[in-house]
Amino acid sequence: MQLRIFTEPQQGASYDDLLAVAQATERLGFDAFFRSDHYLKMGSVSGLPGPTDAWTTLAGLARETSRIRLGTLVSSATFRYPGVLAIQVAQVDQMSGGRVELGLGAGWYAAEHAAYGIPFPEKRFGILEEQLAVVTGLWNTPEGSTFDFAGRHYTVSDSPGLPKPVQQPVPIIVGGNGPRRTPALAATYAAEYNTSFPAKSDIGDRFLAVRKACEEAGRDPDSLVYSVALVACVGADEAEFARRAAAIGREPAEVRQNGLAGTPREVVDGINAIRELGGSRIYLQVLDLADLDHLELIAAEVAPHVG
């Protein structure tokens, strides 16, 4: 089971804060550092000092880390034109020596679009589908050839499909909770299917829906990685757990039910239960980015005991 650290910088984090977490992620043996791609805080937090751009952040971290994977969970298809996104991701992949993964979704947070003047169409799934087609088409175009695409939302003409990423292919993560269209999209384009913050009782059914979509598309269901993102809140004892829950504004009972939370033994059991459902990768959403001792505890008391 791979454990990845997943951050939400729009809630209040500078680049230096993220660098400290990413370097701790690498030092402590976690598989990857991921971040959300949002431009506006959520809830009652201040959000200070303000948002950081996901791909600008990852470009910096690409040069200041050496091992961990780096990516978004997930970038919004509304934020960037697909040709620009393909260039950005390919460049960061080059800067990292081939350690980038692209999580891409349709976008959902209308308020951040309004706050920064970004169009927010009512129907966005078609935009996501075409972005995936264009990005992968550009990357897969042989050098010396050109790529063309004519869709409802995007038209690409005579593109050289440059630059190329180091990885061929860059792993793409498709996530979501839809019962039909999202599984089909994952089966077509993704190296990984992710379900973020699901009810734990729903995880198995979501994995099964993607496996079925793969079979219908003629793809081996085992060729995908199946992953889950859940909030992490771990304490060496009950008092420390309660303190960490309070620090992120969560009630102990609630975060135990909905996240991977409690004592290290409880969290190990929760992760292994996901493994039994077919998951092989967990994104641990870490909300208190100043609490690096939290990562130390997870690395020492959780990571060695998961299957």
Side-chain angles (χ1 to χ4, degrees):
M1 178 69 77
Q2 292 180 330
L3 300 184
R4 296 182 158 188
I5 300 303
F6 171 42
T7 61
E8 299 275 2
Q10 76 279 354
Q11 299 300 88
S14 66
Y15 173 77
D16 286 341
D17 295 328
L18 296 171
L19 174 60
V21 175
Q23 290 181 331
T25 297
E26 182 157 280
R27 173 175 55 83
L28 294 169
F30 293 103
D31 177 64
F33 173 93
F34 270 61
R35 59 157 293 162
S36 61
D37 192 357
H38 284 295
Y39 291 126
L40 190 68
K41 72 178 183 75
M42 302 167 195
S44 60
V45 299
S46 72
L48 294 174
T52 50
D53 179 77
W55 287 101
T56 303
T57 296
L58 295 175
L61 296 179
R63 308 302 287 183
E64 300 194 79
T65 59
S66 61
R67 179 189 58 81
I68 51 173
R69 309 288 295 175
L70 301 166
T72 52
L73 201 68
V74 291
S75 287
S76 173
T78 57
F79 286 172
R80 303 166 186 90
Y81 290 113
V84 173
L85 180 63
I87 292 169
Q88 288 175 319
V89 176
Q91 183 177 2
V92 179
D93 196 50
Q94 292 172 359
M95 293 169 71
S96 70
R99 293 184 286 125
V100 158
E101 302 183 15
L102 171 61
L104 192 59
W108 62 270
Y109 191 20
E112 69 185 339
H113 292 73
Y116 288 96
I118 303 168
F120 187 67
E122 181 179 351
K123 295 183 178 180
R124 299 177 300 283
F125 199 88
I127 292 173
L128 173 60
E129 288 181 299
E130 290 191 16
Q131 286 223 353
L132 286 165
V134 171
V135 168
T136 57
L138 290 168
W139 288 341
N140 292 331
T141 297
E143 290 188 20
S145 300
T146 58
F147 175 73
D148 296 276
F149 179 86
R152 179 178 178 185
H153 304 282
Y154 304 106
T155 299
V156 178
S157 301
D158 295 324
S159 175
L162 298 173
K164 299 300 185 194
V166 172
Q167 299 175 94
Q168 291 292 342
V170 170
I172 289 176
I173 303 164
V174 169
N177 303 325
R180 183 178 58 84
R181 296 180 75 184
T182 296
L185 209 58
T188 301
Y189 292 105
E192 175 181 339
Y193 166 75
N194 174 265
T195 178
S196 293
F197 315 112
K200 294 175 187 177
S201 59
D202 291 340
I203 293 171
D205 287 341
R206 290 182 183 173
F207 288 170
L208 286 173
V210 175
R211 296 184 72 87
K212 181 180 178 182
C214 286
E215 291 170 351
E216 291 173 348
R219 178 176 178 180
D220 178 3
D222 290 332
S223 66
L224 266 77
V225 171
Y226 298 84
S227 68
V228 180
L230 291 168
V231 64
C233 183
V234 191
D237 54 32
E238 195 64 28
E240 186 174 79
F241 164 57
R243 175 177 64 77
R244 286 203 165 105
I248 62 172
R250 305 286 284 267
E251 292 294 328
E254 178 274 325
V255 74
R256 262 194 171 106
Q257 178 178 343
N258 296 314
L260 291 167
T263 64
R265 183 70 256 173
E266 289 178 274
V267 174
V268 168
D269 290 344
I271 291 172
N272 285 335
I274 293 170
R275 178 177 56 82
E276 292 297 321
L277 295 171
S280 61
R281 186 174 288 162
I282 302 288
Y283 293 83
L284 299 170
Q285 185 197 43
V286 175
L287 295 174
D288 185 354
L289 300 185
D291 186 4
L292 299 184
D293 289 342
H294 191 201
L295 299 186
E296 297 266 4
L297 178 65
I298 297 170
E301 302 297 335
V302 175
H305 304 292
V306 297

